[in-house]
Amino acid sequence: MNWDKLFSMQKQLDGYIQSKHHLKETDIFQAKILALLVELGELANETRCFKFWSTKPRNEKTVILEEYVDGVHFILSLGIDKEYLYEDKALETVITTETEQFNHVFEAAVAFKGDPSKLNYETLFTNYLQLGKLLGFSEADIQAAYMKKNEINYERQIQGY
Ligand SMILES: O=c1ccn([C@H]2C[C@H](O)[C@@H](COP(=O)(O)OP(=O)(O)OP(=O)(O)O)O2)c(=O)[nH]1
């Protein structure tokens, strides 16, 4: 996957949002971490993977992918803030349940908040990609859905959302 292209699109979007909301000089690192954690919760809710008490089916794959790419936005954005990129590498196949993998991603996000090192960023990125793989998304699916949501994010800003 060409992550450089997505990083560059994200950088433009973040710049647009920050100038629109007069945040150029404000530290929004904490807000972006919380936003990522909230998106992860929303994503988990759409999969319903942890709802052992319920028999209701999970939401459609397209809806789950839309939620997934909101998390991609915030992970790219956090990397940009800390001046990190992600280089594509072969993903190890994880032998976990979706629920365990969600918990890994939560842990990785909290670890990155406490110590925003390059290594912790890579761990967060990799864990999130492995979650995407477990949810059945190909890199092409993720890239296409990211592009679509990136455009929607501009439209929402223009509409004064
Ligand atoms: O600096 C930022 C801030 C936000 N976003 C993007 C990420 C995500 O794709 C979207 C925010 O998520 P969402 O669309 O779910 O927004 P919301 O306000 O939570 O929507 P809703 O009120 O519909 O739940 O904005 C960025 O890319 N950069």
Side-chain angles (χ1 to χ4, degrees):
M1 165 101 89
N2 181 4
W3 288 108
D4 289 355
K5 183 172 179 190
L6 269 59
F7 271 107
S8 126
M9 289 176 70
Q10 186 66 46
K11 196 170 182 172
Q12 265 192 298
L13 174 61
D14 286 353
Y16 185 80
I17 293 175
Q18 283 184 50
S19 45
K20 183 153 186 199
H21 296 274
H22 313 291
L23 294 168
K24 283 282 182 203
E25 306 306 324
T26 313
D27 187 359
I28 46 179
F29 178 76
Q30 292 282 331
K32 283 184 186 175
I33 292 281
L34 180 57
L36 173 61
L37 295 173
V38 170
E39 291 299 347
L40 269 172
E42 288 178 2
L43 176 62
N45 258 338
E46 296 298 348
T47 71
R48 305 182 67 79
C49 65
F50 62 96
K51 299 200 175 198
F52 56 85
W53 56 89
S54 167
T55 54
K56 249 169 81 176
R58 64 208 277 128
N59 213 330
E60 286 163 29
K61 202 171 167 185
T62 49
V63 176
I64 296 174
L65 179 57
E66 282 166 19
E67 285 296 342
Y68 182 81
V69 296
D70 282 331
V72 172
H73 276 75
F74 285 115
I75 291 176
L76 292 171
S77 186
L78 284 163
I80 292 160
D81 286 359
K82 299 293 171 197
E83 299 185 345
Y84 301 146
L85 288 173
Y86 177 78
E87 279 122 48
D88 211 16
K89 51 177 111 37
L91 277 187
E92 274 174 47
T93 308
V94 288
I95 319 159
T96 54
T97 61
E98 287 178 3
T99 299
E100 280 175 302
Q101 193 60 27
F102 269 107
N103 284 333
H104 285 315
V105 179
F106 272 108
E107 277 164 18
V110 171
F112 181 68
K113 178 176 82 65
D115 173 16
S117 64
K118 172 100 171 117
L119 181 63
N120 280 344
Y121 185 65
E122 270 174 20
T123 305
L124 171 60
F125 212 115
T126 307
N127 270 292
Y128 198 65
L129 293 181
Q130 281 165 329
L131 175 63
K133 209 169 167 184
L134 262 183
L135 295 174
F137 305 136
S138 69
E139 293 199 341
D141 292 335
I142 296 169
Q143 184 154 352
Y146 174 86
M147 305 277 179
K148 196 170 153 197
K149 182 61 192 262
N150 188 284
E151 204 179 308
I152 292 171
N153 281 327
Y154 277 107
E155 285 164 12
R156 286 183 164 184
Q157 290 297 319
I158 291 160
Q159 287 158 5
Y161 152 90

